């Protein structure tokens, strides 16, 4: 059969058109992202903070991947030593792998 058609009423002369809620939310978030009025010094400090935040996040991510690689290499070495018979299984379980090679300072 035929599809049901929805007739939408256009707003009258003095009425405000009802806005799409998703569009309203998008516009609100866009307005919040724009810098608030402030002095140039405050804006410069804010941009500097954002830059430092990005750099520290990048460094933190890099450090995390480096530590993961080091742990993997350590596990690989210990597996190889155990396979060759140079390391007894009881000694292998005494040292946690995640502590080796990582300094606390």
């Amino acid at each position: 059969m035929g599809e049901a058609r929805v007739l939408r009423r256009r707003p009258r002369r003095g009425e405000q058109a009802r806005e799409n809620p998703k569009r309203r939310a998008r516009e609100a978030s866009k307005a919040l992202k724009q810098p608030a009025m402030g002095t140039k010094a405050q804006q410069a400090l804010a941009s500097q903070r954002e830059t430092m935040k990005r750099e520290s996040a990048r460094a933190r991510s890099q450090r995390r991947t480096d530590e993961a690689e080091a742990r993997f290499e350590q596990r690989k070495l210990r597996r190889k030593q155990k396979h060759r018979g140079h390391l007894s299984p009881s000694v292998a379980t005494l040292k946690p792998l995640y502590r080796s090679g990582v300094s606390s300072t």
Side-chain angles (χ1 to χ4, degrees):
M1 297 295 269
E3 296 178 16
R5 296 181 76 191
V6 177
L7 296 175
R8 295 188 184 166
R9 184 177 68 81
R10 290 175 51 168
R12 293 191 181 135
R13 195 169 277 179
E15 286 183 3
Q16 189 79 349
R18 210 178 318 162
E19 218 177 286
N20 187 344
K22 288 184 181 179
R23 182 183 301 145
R24 200 174 345 161
R26 262 198 319 267
E27 288 172 355
S29 68
K30 187 177 176 183
L32 285 175
K33 283 182 183 178
Q34 291 180 350
M37 293 303 289
T39 64
K40 286 187 179 182
Q42 286 174 335
Q43 289 176 356
L45 283 173
S47 68
Q48 186 180 14
R49 252 192 314 271
E50 286 294 320
T51 306
M52 289 298 291
K53 186 170 138 183
R54 272 188 248 110
E55 287 177 7
S56 65
R58 191 178 300 124
R60 191 169 44 248
S61 173
Q62 182 64 40
R63 188 176 62 242
R64 205 176 296 134
T65 56
D66 289 345
E67 287 174 358
E69 281 182 27
R71 282 194 309 268
F72 176 72
E73 291 297 324
Q74 189 69 24
R75 282 196 314 266
K76 204 160 63 167
L77 178 67
R78 290 179 77 77
R79 278 198 313 263
K80 191 174 185 179
Q81 287 175 347
K82 276 177 68 174
H83 181 72
R84 289 184 175 178
H86 297 299
L87 194 63
S88 66
S90 62
V91 174
T93 57
L94 290 179
K95 282 187 173 179
L97 296 176
Y98 59 88
R99 295 280 185 195
S100 60
V102 179
S103 64
S104 62
T105 57

